[in-house]
Amino acid sequence: MKKLALYIICCFASAVLLAETQTTRIDKNLTIYTDVMRQLDINYVDTLNYDDLIETSINYMLHKVDPYTMYIPKREDDELRRMTQGKYGGVGSLIMYRDSNVYINELYEGMPAQQSGLLPGDRFVKVDGMDCEGKNTKDVSDKLRGKPGTTIEIVLERDSQLLTKQVTRRDIHLPAVGYATVLQDSIGYILFNDFTSNSAQELLTALDKMVQSNGIKRLIIDLRGNGGGIIDEAIQIVGFFVPKDTEVVSTKGKTERSNSTYKTQTSPIFPDMPLVVLVNGQSASASEIVAGALQDLKRATIVGERTFGKGLVQNIRPIAYGGHLKVTTSKYYLPSGRCIQAIDYAERQRGHQLHRDTAGGILPDVVLNDSAKLDITYNLYRDHLFFDYANRYYNQHPTIAPATEFQLTDSDLEDFCQFLEEKKFSYETETGRYLGELIKMAKQEDIDSTLLADLEAFKPRLTEDFHTAIQRNREEVEELLGGEIIKRYYYHRGYYAYMLRYDKELKRAIEEVNRL
């Protein structure tokens, strides 16, 4: 007993000493930091922006920790609301940076930007008095966002003409359910975008409507591209399909308050409905909790690609002067005990190179490899030519068929090719481009002239007329070009409805859910 008591005392003393050492190190480094700032203030030749310097140092420090721990100053309360509630004060548009300018990329239906007559392709000239020349998307976005009910003046350029619009900001709520429909054989489909406040209820409402109105018997939940969000919403969704008091996920961290076990709180509403969950490499966090828990509990078939592997838990803590710190406090563990996290960011602190653990993320029951090709559609998308033609098409066609019926015609594709000729589009395969670089290097290295001639003779065989390439890849061109056009008329919901007909992963999910 004496040895045990002595051991306990030694362990306690070691813990106290370690805590004191850590506290001392923190105090020491804070003193150094404060002294550096003081010496800058006293001695630096020019006046410095100390607020900017300190915020930059905070952000860089947190970046060294992991990509998810971040400082949110009071002025960015809108960003905090967007992360937790799925809404923010703004005009309801997506913007993009292109050719050193910022443009409108997409509009949200029924939101101020769309109602005020803004269009995709409009270039921002001024926003709320700020000249947009030389500005990036964050600069413009910060100006567009603000308190709901306030009005801003936006100057745009469209077809070489300047337009001035008065746009009143409002709460922009992005629906968690991006699209819901009934597919063949009484199969319900729900595209679920993110896990924000009340998102589980949105999913339940959409599902219940399809059950009551259409009598669906099976369900596909699409979590592709869903980056996650609030854990409680994920628990609720799993609870719709598994018994009450079932463990869904647990968290383990440094402090006792970081350790929790999450169980379903209610009896299942659809305990026997056959279920498939679609995932991909961008499905993360709460998406992985839903997919992984349903997989562990043998309640759903998971179809798609291995998920991202984001198993770090963040909590939001208030800090001085109205700011907040979103800080990683623990890791997620599924019912089987496996950890979702794929990257150990502590390795970076130890000076090691980061690597992705292949055991991280969720490996689907039915693995579908990404078969994206670097064909002509890649060049057309990269050069914004689908986007530009869709703007022209919209100007020339006041109406089109419904999203589920719209189809590009032969004459539409001919007109698109004419548009590409006007834009002086030249198609070069990636292989041809790399061969060109190889020939250039061969000349610099004074390679044998016969071999060099053989390489140059081979290059024309990798050059293809873009008209031929478009016909050879017609289905992919119709998919991407048609989807871009649809967004001009029917916005996101129409885009999702149109794109489903080309969705090979969804077709496989339908096969799997029919087997259940």
Side-chain angles (χ1 to χ4, degrees):
M1 285 296 291
K2 288 182 179 180
K3 288 184 178 180
L4 178 60
L6 181 61
Y7 174 76
I8 293 173
I9 292 171
C10 288
C11 289
F12 177 74
S14 297
V16 171
L17 181 60
L18 178 61
E20 288 178 350
T21 302
Q22 289 174 340
T23 302
T24 301
R25 288 169 61 190
I26 292 172
D27 289 343
K28 173 187 173 182
N29 284 286
L30 285 176
T31 300
I32 293 171
Y33 182 81
T34 303
D35 200 33
V36 169
M37 291 301 301
R38 185 178 294 111
Q39 292 298 329
L40 272 176
D41 183 35
I42 295 171
N43 297 300
Y44 192 74
V45 61
D46 293 323
T47 302
L48 297 172
N49 184 335
Y50 297 105
D51 291 343
D52 182 64
L53 279 175
I54 292 174
E55 186 169 325
T56 298
S57 66
I58 291 172
N59 290 335
Y60 186 74
M61 173 184 68
L62 298 180
H63 173 73
K64 295 280 285 184
V65 175
D66 68 45
Y68 313 109
T69 296
M70 62 180 64
Y71 168 56
I72 306 169
K74 181 175 175 56
R75 68 176 183 276
E76 294 182 8
D77 281 351
D78 266 3
E79 180 63 16
L80 184 63
R81 292 178 68 217
R82 186 197 65 77
M83 287 190 294
T84 58
Q85 301 176 25
K87 62 182 178 181
Y88 60 92
V91 301
S93 67
L94 293 177
I95 61 178
M96 67 177 179
Y97 186 78
R98 173 184 174 187
D99 303 328
S100 302
N101 288 283
V102 180
Y103 294 83
I104 293 177
N105 186 24
E106 294 183 36
L107 300 170
Y108 293 122
E109 185 177 12
M111 297 300 175
Q114 183 255 329
Q115 293 176 333
S116 299
L118 278 64
L119 293 176
D122 288 347
R123 181 177 72 87
F124 288 100
V125 178
K126 287 187 177 181
V127 177
D128 202 23
M130 180 189 75
D131 191 336
C132 295
E133 184 176 356
K135 299 297 190 296
N136 57 33
T137 53
K138 185 180 186 307
D139 297 327
V140 175
S141 179
D142 288 345
K143 279 292 185 179
L144 291 173
R145 294 186 180 189
K147 185 177 180 181
T150 56
T151 299
I152 55 172
E153 183 176 272
I154 302 176
V155 180
L156 304 157
E157 182 186 45
R158 181 189 303 164
D159 298 327
S160 302
Q161 300 292 320
L162 292 182
L163 304 172
T164 300
K165 301 284 187 179
Q166 304 293 326
V167 184
T168 301
R169 300 183 182 100
R170 56 180 275 198
D171 266 332
I172 307 300
H173 174 69
L174 305 179
V177 175
Y179 187 64
T181 190
V182 179
L183 306 173
Q184 62 190 51
D185 302 322
S186 300
I187 299 171
Y189 169 84
I190 294 178
L191 173 64
F192 197 67
N193 285 328
D194 53 37
F195 293 80
T196 50
S197 181
N198 297 317
S199 59
Q201 184 59 48
E202 282 189 50
L203 185 145
L204 179 59
T205 299
L207 175 53
D208 192 55
K209 181 178 179 180
M210 288 189 289
V211 170
Q212 299 299 325
S213 301
N214 306 100
I216 66 165
K217 299 292 192 298
R218 298 172 174 81
L219 178 65
I220 297 171
I221 299 177
D222 191 345
L223 297 179
R224 290 174 296 178
N226 187 320
I230 302 174
I231 186 173
D232 290 339
E233 301 297 320
I235 308 304
Q236 285 188 56
I237 290 172
V238 175
F240 298 154
F241 306 102
V242 304
K244 183 178 180 180
D245 293 325
T246 299
E247 179 179 334
V248 176
V249 69
S250 61
T251 62
K252 299 176 184 178
K254 184 193 299 183
T255 63
E256 189 62 34
R257 65 186 295 186
S258 301
N259 300 329
S260 299
T261 298
Y262 293 85
K263 298 182 178 182
T264 55
Q265 301 295 309
T266 57
S267 298
I269 303 173
F270 307 101
D272 302 313
M273 178 176 284
L275 181 62
V276 162
V277 179
L278 267 170
V279 296
N280 65 5
Q282 288 74 53
S283 304
S285 187
S287 292
E288 295 175 289
I289 291 173
V290 170
L294 291 172
Q295 185 182 54
D296 278 3
L297 299 169
K298 311 297 184 188
R299 184 59 188 85
T301 298
I302 313 303
V303 175
E305 305 166 20
R306 182 185 287 276
T307 61
F308 183 80
K310 197 270 186 183
L312 300 179
V313 185
Q314 284 75 48
N315 283 308
I316 296 175
R317 307 293 188 198
I319 57 176
Y321 297 99
H324 291 84
L325 180 67
K326 183 161 77 79
V327 57
T328 299
T329 58
S330 52
K331 294 181 180 180
Y332 289 126
Y333 293 83
L334 292 169
S336 62
R338 54 179 169 157
C339 181
I340 294 173
Q341 183 61 22
I343 297 177
D344 182 5
Y345 290 100
E347 289 293 305
R348 185 160 57 191
Q349 299 300 313
R350 304 183 191 107
H352 300 156
Q353 187 174 355
L354 294 179
H355 70 280
R356 182 175 294 275
D357 186 348
T358 55
I362 307 301
L363 182 66
D365 303 297
V366 179
V367 178
L368 305 177
N369 295 320
D370 184 6
S371 58
K373 298 184 294 183
L374 286 178
D375 54 26
I376 191 172
T377 59
Y378 168 78
N379 297 59
L380 295 170
Y381 181 84
R382 179 197 61 197
D383 295 341
H384 304 284
L385 292 167
F386 290 136
F387 179 86
D388 290 342
Y389 181 78
N391 293 335
R392 187 173 91 163
Y393 190 96
Y394 179 75
N395 290 331
Q396 296 175 350
H397 299 78
T399 61
I400 61 172
T404 53
E405 301 172 14
F406 177 76
Q407 186 72 46
L408 288 170
T409 64
D410 289 342
S411 61
D412 289 332
L413 289 178
E414 289 173 8
D415 187 57
F416 179 55
C417 288
Q418 178 63 39
F419 169 79
L420 295 180
E421 289 177 358
E422 294 169 9
K423 292 290 184 179
K424 295 181 170 44
F425 172 68
S426 177
Y427 175 48
E428 181 181 24
T429 65
E430 289 298 296
T431 306
R433 185 173 67 83
Y434 281 113
L435 179 59
E437 293 294 322
L438 179 62
I439 292 172
K440 182 179 178 181
M441 182 62 69
K443 290 178 179 178
Q444 291 176 346
E445 293 185 342
D446 196 23
I447 294 296
D448 178 76
S449 59
T450 303
L451 176 58
L452 184 60
D454 289 342
L455 290 174
E456 290 180 326
F458 189 71
K459 188 173 183 181
R461 298 177 62 183
L462 297 175
T463 302
E464 184 177 25
D465 176 71
F466 75 77
H467 298 80
T468 304
I470 285 176
Q471 287 302 322
R472 188 163 52 82
N473 298 279
R474 176 164 178 155
E475 183 176 356
E476 290 84 357
V477 172
E478 287 183 353
E479 175 185 0
L480 296 174
L481 180 57
E484 196 66 52
I485 290 170
I486 283 289
K487 282 190 283 190
R488 303 297 184 276
Y489 298 87
Y490 302 113
Y491 307 95
H492 275 82
R493 288 184 179 273
Y495 173 77
Y496 296 137
Y498 175 83
M499 296 299 283
L500 287 185
R501 73 176 80 165
Y502 296 96
D503 196 331
K504 296 180 177 62
E505 290 79 12
L506 177 60
K507 290 175 182 176
R508 183 58 186 275
I510 291 172
E511 292 175 8
E512 293 300 323
V513 81
N514 277 327
R515 292 194 179 104
L516 299 177

